[in-house]
Amino acid sequence: MKIPFNKPTAVGTELANIADALARGHLSGDGYYTRRCHQWLEQRLGCPHALLTHSCTGALDMAAILCDLAPGDEVIMPSYTFVSTANAFVLRGAVPVFVDIRADTLNIDERLIEAAITPRTRAIAVVHYAGVACEMDAIMTIAQRHRLLVVEDAAQALLATYKNRNLGTLGQLGCISFHETKNLISGEGGALLINDERFAERAEIVREKGTNRSRFLRGEVDKYTWVDLGSSYLPSELVAAFLDAQLAHADQVIARRRATWQRYHAGLAELAASGALELPRDSYPDRVPNGHIFYVLADTLATRMALARHLKTQDMLSVSHYVPLHSSPGGRKWGRTSGEFKVTDDISDRLLRLPIYFGITDAQVDTVIDAVKGFFATRAATIR
Ligand SMILES: *Cc1c(COP(=O)(O)O)cnc(C)c1O
């Protein structure tokens, strides 16, 4: 029985929705299904404006345009993240300033942010790793004190909360991903959440190739024209129809994902107590994660690699990431560092993600847990 690392979420009603979109005869963006997705996001997340994009990368690009950066402006972000967090700002001529992460959440260490601020700093781009919230109160306070914007890379964080507020709705702008590796998907897909009215009108324009076409479609102007920077960030109705089906089952998908996460945590707790490996924290008083990533931390890079090989021989796939951006060729060329990266470097060597997806059975999770336990049992025996 092969256990893949990920299987794209499927809820069963996607194809009927796509057939309906075809029947409606409008397949480019911003039709019936796009509007339904916008409404769902705005109502469920509690944000004034949501706009679907073709990816979270596209939403981050839009956020970077909306931040109105000048060449040489700086954006503070964690080094331990996906490349799109940084690339969006580099494309505007800005400089990503990398800082280290916290060892408990693997999110940006808020205690290191102020030391990274210079007169050129314009924004902080936070990443809610694994759908676990950053220390948002502290981060928003720093941002207000220094008049910085906060962009949330909430790619992994849909329906995870911080003090009962949805991630992606706390900063001025939030970016969500519906890539097939995320909890809720449309193959490729994303959304920009606009939480500050100042950005609402311009966001629409940036998304529609720099034109005021959205106002034209609402009958607010009698022709549309090029008014600002922009590109084509909207998805087709086919993608929105697929996503709409998934959003209708969001609670079921997230609940199942959280249950799978907790099953791993409980199943490996004894092994962790023995000191063989480390597990992420399983609960917080002030935030509720969404079960996006389940990871373990091995003691060394060598152990991590041996564990991944062991799982592979038993047809179970595990995955490690990220190459820290501060040590990547792109990060060295376009970014700069602030402080040391002890936690980032250490975590990126030792972290291993175990299979988690909607549809993985409890029996499959137990098989993976047994395989991990088996690895450490044989290792203990050979060392002895
Ligand atoms: C997945 C991911 C992205 C990119 O999302 P796409 O929708 O694939 O563009 C950006 N940032 C983080 C932290 C991610 O996990």
Side-chain angles (χ1 to χ4, degrees), residues 53-60 80-85 126-130 153-157 175-182 187-191 292-293 321-322 353:
T53 56
H54 54 65
S55 62
C56 182
T57 301
L60 286 161
Y80 192 70
T81 182
F82 188 66
V83 56
S84 295
T85 320
V126 301
V127 180
H128 305 294
Y129 179 74
D153 180 340
Q156 307 177 3
C175 304
I176 304 280
S177 175
F178 299 112
H179 185 263
E180 73 163 9
T181 51
K182 304 304 199 283
E188 302 276 356
H292 177 56
I293 287 175
H321 71 175
Y322 299 100
R353 300 167 63 186

Side-chain angles (χ1 to χ4, degrees), residues 101-324:
I101 51 171
R102 295 173 58 103
D104 54 354
T105 57
L106 314 192
N107 289 332
I108 189 166
D109 190 332
E110 75 287 355
R111 295 159 297 194
L112 305 176
I113 291 176
E114 281 195 297
I117 294 176
T118 72
R120 298 305 305 267
T121 309
R122 295 288 173 268
I124 308 169
V126 301
V127 180
H128 305 294
Y129 179 74
V132 177
C134 296
E135 306 300 319
M136 289 308 289
D137 280 351
I139 291 166
M140 296 310 290
T141 302
I142 295 168
Q144 273 151 19
R145 186 152 61 226
H146 298 272
R147 299 175 170 281
L148 307 176
L149 296 171
V150 174
V151 174
E152 295 176 76
D153 180 340
Q156 307 177 3
L158 184 63
L159 294 175
T161 59
Y162 176 77
K163 300 189 174 173
N164 294 318
R165 292 170 69 193
N166 277 286
L167 301 189
T169 69
L170 300 156
Q172 281 75 27
L173 298 163
C175 304
I176 304 280
S177 175
F178 299 112
H179 185 263
E180 73 163 9
T181 51
K182 304 304 199 283
N183 291 11
L184 293 158
I185 68 163
S186 56
E188 302 276 356
L192 178 67
L193 309 180
I194 300 127
N195 308 310
D196 183 330
E197 284 299 336
R198 275 183 299 163
F199 298 104
E201 188 177 343
R202 195 163 177 230
E204 253 182 15
I205 292 169
V206 167
R207 178 166 166 273
E208 269 283 20
K209 300 97 180 162
T211 73
N212 56 354
R213 184 161 182 269
S214 302
R215 293 194 66 191
F216 170 72
L217 293 177
R218 286 197 297 269
E220 295 168 12
V221 289
D222 58 10
K223 50 183 178 291
Y224 77 88
T225 183
W226 182 18
V227 293
D228 204 335
L229 286 180
S231 187
S232 185
Y233 291 108
L234 62 174
S236 113
E237 273 287 286
L238 296 175
V239 169
F242 189 103
L243 181 63
D244 175 73
Q246 296 238 334
L247 294 179
H249 293 79
D251 292 321
Q252 184 194 342
V253 172
I254 304 290
R256 180 64 201 151
R257 196 126 183 163
R258 285 184 178 134
T260 301
W261 195 103
Q262 292 295 347
R263 192 173 187 90
Y264 270 125
H265 199 278
L268 293 169
E270 207 180 311
L271 197 58
S274 78
L277 47 66
E278 289 169 61
L279 298 181
R281 194 170 156 178
D282 68 337
S283 71
Y284 298 84
D286 55 357
R287 62 203 92 179
V288 185
N290 63 1
H292 177 56
I293 287 175
F294 188 85
Y295 66 84
V296 299
L297 296 174
D299 57 352
T300 63
L301 173 62
T303 307
R304 197 244 342 247
M305 289 169 68
L307 173 58
R309 275 197 304 275
H310 174 82
L311 295 177
K312 189 142 188 274
T313 59
Q314 301 190 29
D315 273 344
M316 297 165 210
L317 293 183
S318 57
V319 167
S320 61
H321 71 175
Y322 299 100
V323 175

